[in-house]
C-alpha cells in the first residue's frame, strides 16, 4: 500500500515543488533581468551629454556601446562554467554586484578611453547572467516545467524596454543637484540600485534543491528525481563540435537571419533616445516617456502575434512579414519630421519584436534534433554580435555624413536579406519524425557541445 501511495503522491509533490520555485525564485530573477537590461542600454540616453562633457563623438559612442558585446561574448562560457562550480546564489549575485560597480564607475568617466574600458568591463561583468539563469532552471526544473519559467523570465526583458526610458529620464532631471551632471547621477543611482538588488538576491536565491528550507522532504525527493531523469537523458546525447556547426547550411542561414534582427534591435535600443531628442523642446523625462511608446506597442503586438501563430504549421510567412515591417519602418524613419521618424521606428520595433517571437520557435523546428541544442547556441553567440556592429556603424556614419540615414538604410537592407534567408530555412514542424514523443525523448536527442 505504501508503494502505491508514493507513486501517486510523487507527481503531486513535484508540481507543488515547481509551483513554490516559480513563486519564490522567479520574481527576484525577473527583477534582476529588468535591471540588467536597463543597465546595459541606459547609455543611449546620455549620448549628447557624453559628447558635451567628455568629448565622446558619435563614432566613439557607437564603438563604446558595441564593445559591451565583445566583452560579453568572450566571457560568457567561462562564466557559466564558474557558476556550475560556485552555484547560482554566489555566482548570479557576484555578476549583479560587479556590473553595478561598473555602472557606478561610469559616473566618473572623464575621457573616451575610460568610456571604452568601462563598456567592455560591463560586458565582462554581465557575461553569463542570462545563460546562467537558464542553466539554473535546468538544475531546478524538469523539461516539462522549464518552458513556462523561461517565458515568465523573458517577460522581464520586454518590460525593461518600457520602463528604462521613464526611469532614466527622471534621473537625468537631477542635473545640477549637488553640482553634478544629470548623467552622472543616473549612472551612480542605477548602479547603486543594481548592487542593492544583488545583495537582496543573495538572501533569496538557493543554489541546490536540497538547501531549500521551503520544500518538504517529499517535494525535494520528487523534484530531484525529475531533474535527475532529465540529466541522465541528456548525458546519453552525442557530442557535436561547434566548429563543424559553423558550416552547417541551416545553422548558417539561421545565424544570418538572427544577426540581421540583432542589428535592427540594438540600433533602435541605442539610438532611439537620440532620435527622439531631435524633436526638440523636450525635457529628459519627456524623452524617456516617448522612447517607451515604441516598446509598449511592440510588446502588445508581440503577445498578440504569438497568440495567433502558436498553432500555425509554418511560422516562416509570418516571420517574413514581420521582417518586412521592420525594413519599412527603418526606411520610413529617414523621411519626414522627427515625429514621423518616431512613428516609423515604432513600426520597426513592432516588426522586430514580433520577428523575435516567431524566430526562435522556427529556429528550433528548422534544425535536426541531433544538432538543435549546440546549433542554437552558435546562432545566439554569433548573431548577438549584431549588437556590436550596429551601434558602431551608426556612430561612424553619423560622424562622417552628419546623419543616421545611412545606418537606417543598412538596417532596411539587412531585414530584406533576412527575408530571403527565412525562405530557405527548413520547416519540420508538424512532421512525425521531427518531434519526439516525450520530454525524456527530446532530452535524449539533445547533443552536448564539445
Amino acid at each position: 500500500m505504501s508503494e502505491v501511495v508514493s507513486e501517486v503522491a510523487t507527481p503531486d509533490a513535484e508540481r507543488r515543488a515547481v509551483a513554490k520555485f516559480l513563486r519564490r525564485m522567479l520574481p527576484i530573477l525577473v527583477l534582476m533581468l529588468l535591471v540588467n537590461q536597463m543597465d546595459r542600454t541606459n547609455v543611449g540616453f546620455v549620448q549628447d551629454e557624453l559628447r558635451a562633457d567628455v568629448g565622446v563623438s558619435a563614432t566613439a559612442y557607437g564603438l563604446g556601446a558595441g564593445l559591451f558585446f565583445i566583452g560579453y561574448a568572450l566571457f560568457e562560457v567561462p562564466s557559466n562554467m564558474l557558476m556550475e562550480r560556485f552555484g547560482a546564489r554566489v555566482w548570479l549575485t557576484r555578476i549583479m554586484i560587479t556590473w553595478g560597480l561598473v555602472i557606478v564607475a561610469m559616473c566618473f568617466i572623464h575621457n573616451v578611453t575610460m568610456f571604452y574600458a568601462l563598456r567592455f568591463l560591463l560586458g565582462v561583468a554581465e557575461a553569463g547572467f542570462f545563460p546562467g539563469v537558464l542553466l539554473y532552471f535546468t538544475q531546478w526544473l524538469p523539461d516539462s516545467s522549464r518552458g513556462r519559467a523561461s517565458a515568465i523570465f523573458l517577460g522581464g526583458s520586454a518590460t525593461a524596454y518600457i520602463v528604462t526610458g521613464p526611469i532614466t529620464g527622471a534621473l537625468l532631471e537631477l542635473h545640477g543637484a549637488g553640482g553634478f551632471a544629470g548623467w552622472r547621477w543616473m549612472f551612480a543611482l542605477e548602479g547603486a540600485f543594481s548592487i542593492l538588488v544583488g545583495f537582496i538576491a543573495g538572501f533569496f536565491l538557493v543554489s541546490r534543491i536540497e538547501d531549500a528550507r521551503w520544500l518538504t522532504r517529499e517535494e525535494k525527493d520528487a523534484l530531484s528525481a525529475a531533474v535527475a531523469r532529465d540529466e541522465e537523458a541528456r548525458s546519453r546525447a552525442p557530442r557535436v563540435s561547434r566548429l563543424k556547426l559553423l558550416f552547417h547550411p541551416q545553422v548558417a542561414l539561421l545565424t544570418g537571419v538572427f544577426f540581421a534582427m540583432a542589428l535592427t534591435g540594438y540600433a533602435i535600443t541605442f539610438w532611439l533616445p537620440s532620435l527622439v531628442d531631435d524633436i526638440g523642446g523636450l525635457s529628459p523625462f519627456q524623452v524617456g516617456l516617448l522612447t517607451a511608446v515604441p516598446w509598449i506597442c511592440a510588446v502588445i503586438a508581440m503577445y498578440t502575434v504569438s497568440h495567433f501563430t502558436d498553432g500555425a504549421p509554418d511560422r516562416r510567412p509570418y516571420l517574413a512579414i514581420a521582417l518586412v515591417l521592420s525594413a519599412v519602418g527603418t526606411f520610413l524613419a529617414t523621411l519626414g519630421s522627427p515625429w514621423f521618424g518616431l512613428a516609423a521606428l515604432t513600426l520597426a520595433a513592432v516588426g522586430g519584436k514580433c520577428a523575435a517571437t516567431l524566430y526562435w520557435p522556427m529556429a528550433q523546428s528548422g534544425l535536426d534534433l541531433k544538432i538543435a541544442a549546440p546549433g542554437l547556441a552558435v546562432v545566439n553567440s554569433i548573431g548577438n554580435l549584431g549588437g556590436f556592429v550596429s551601434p558602431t556603424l551608426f556612430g561612424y556614419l553619423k560622424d562622417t555624413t552628419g546623419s543616421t540615414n545611412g545606418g537606417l538604410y543598412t538596417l532596411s537592407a539587412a531585414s530584406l536579406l533576412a527575408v530571403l534567408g527565412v525562405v530557405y530555412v527548413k520547416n519540420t514542424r508538424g512532421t512525425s519524425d521531427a518531434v519526439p514523443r516525450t520530454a525524456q525523448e527530446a532530452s535524449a536527442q539533445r547533443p552536448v557541445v564539445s
Side-chain angles (χ1 to χ4, degrees):
M1 177 65 71
S2 61
E3 291 183 2
V4 175
V5 172
S6 176
E7 290 178 2
V8 175
T10 298
D12 185 55
E14 180 186 326
R15 283 192 294 270
R16 291 198 310 270
V18 168
K20 287 183 178 180
F21 175 86
L22 297 179
R23 187 168 61 249
R24 289 174 176 268
M25 295 294 102
L26 267 188
I28 187 65
L29 291 171
V30 169
L31 176 61
M32 293 170 76
L33 179 63
L34 192 154
V35 176
N36 171 263
Q37 297 293 305
M38 182 168 63
D39 285 347
R40 71 163 58 174
T41 60
N42 57 14
V43 71
F45 291 85
V46 296
Q47 181 185 163
D48 292 339
E49 288 83 354
L50 289 174
R51 180 171 61 248
D53 295 351
V54 186
V56 177
S57 66
T59 300
Y61 165 77
L63 178 59
L67 280 173
F68 166 91
F69 296 93
I70 301 298
Y72 194 96
L74 289 174
F75 289 87
E76 183 175 8
V77 174
S79 179
N80 253 27
M81 294 172 64
L82 288 168
M83 180 175 143
E84 287 192 279
R85 177 178 177 181
F86 292 106
R89 181 178 184 181
V90 171
W91 199 245
L92 293 180
T93 299
R94 192 284 306 164
I95 288 175
M96 187 157 202
I97 291 173
T98 52
W99 97 51
L101 289 171
V102 175
I103 291 293
V104 170
M106 289 187 73
C107 78
F108 300 106
I109 291 174
H110 60 270
N111 58 43
V112 173
T113 301
M114 191 173 181
F115 174 61
Y116 288 157
L118 287 175
R119 282 295 297 179
F120 178 80
L121 286 176
L122 183 63
V124 173
E126 286 192 21
F129 173 73
F130 186 82
V133 172
L134 298 185
L135 175 62
Y136 186 44
F137 287 161
T138 68
Q139 297 169 344
W140 269 85
L141 300 172
D143 281 346
S144 57
S145 301
R146 214 174 296 146
R148 181 170 35 140
S150 298
I152 296 172
F153 177 63
L154 288 171
S157 178
T159 304
Y161 285 106
I162 296 173
V163 304
T164 295
I167 291 175
T168 301
L171 293 177
L172 290 174
E173 295 281 359
L174 294 173
H175 183 74
F180 293 102
W183 64 272
R184 297 188 189 274
W185 277 115
M186 184 269 289
F187 282 129
L189 293 177
E190 289 189 355
F193 182 68
S194 301
I195 295 170
L196 175 63
V197 173
F199 279 113
I200 293 173
F203 288 100
F204 281 91
L205 294 178
V206 181
S207 296
R208 301 187 311 150
I209 295 173
E210 279 299 313
D211 296 333
R213 297 179 180 178
W214 32 269
L215 291 179
T216 65
R217 170 45 56 189
E218 182 188 19
E219 291 165 348
K220 290 179 181 179
D221 291 343
L223 192 57
S224 296
V227 171
R229 286 194 298 270
D230 288 339
E231 289 179 348
E232 181 183 359
R234 285 194 296 272
S235 69
R236 295 196 299 267
R239 292 185 175 272
V240 179
S241 168
R242 284 195 179 189
L243 184 61
K244 291 182 180 179
L245 287 173
L246 289 174
F247 302 99
H248 189 283
Q250 286 297 105
V251 173
L253 277 173
L254 290 168
T255 300
V257 173
F258 185 55
F259 183 84
M261 291 165 52
L263 282 176
T264 301
Y266 285 114
I268 295 175
T269 298
F270 286 115
W271 287 88
L272 179 61
S274 176
L275 295 171
V276 171
D277 193 46
D278 288 341
I279 292 173
L282 299 174
S283 69
F285 181 63
Q286 290 171 325
V287 170
L289 286 176
L290 283 177
T291 60
V293 171
W295 302 119
I296 292 172
C297 296
V299 169
I300 293 172
M302 176 181 70
Y303 285 113
T304 303
V305 166
S306 64
H307 175 74
F308 285 104
T309 59
D310 273 349
D314 188 355
R315 289 186 172 91
R316 290 177 300 173
Y318 302 100
L319 176 57
I321 292 171
L323 288 169
V324 170
L325 285 179
S326 182
V328 170
T330 51
F331 177 78
L332 290 178
T334 65
L335 309 174
S337 68
W339 282 107
F340 181 80
L342 176 61
L345 287 179
T346 298
L347 178 63
V350 166
K353 276 295 181 184
C354 290
T357 300
L358 296 161
Y359 173 81
W360 287 110
M362 182 208 70
Q364 290 168 336
S365 65
L367 291 177
D368 188 284
L369 284 168
K370 294 178 181 179
I371 63 168
L376 292 176
V378 169
V379 168
N380 184 64
S381 58
I382 297 178
N384 259 321
L385 291 177
F388 170 75
V389 174
S390 61
T392 304
L393 175 66
F394 262 63
Y396 173 76
L397 290 174
K398 186 170 184 180
D399 268 347
T400 55
T401 67
S403 170
T404 57
N405 285 354
L408 292 169
Y409 292 142
T410 302
L411 296 183
S412 296
S415 294
L416 293 178
L417 286 173
V419 173
L420 293 178
V422 170
V423 172
Y424 289 100
V425 171
K426 289 191 304 183
N427 176 62
T428 59
R429 184 173 181 173
T431 59
S432 58
D433 59 341
V435 181
R437 290 182 296 275
T438 67
Q440 287 74 24
E441 232 179 294
S443 296
Q445 296 181 61
R446 290 191 188 113
V448 178
V449 183
S450 59

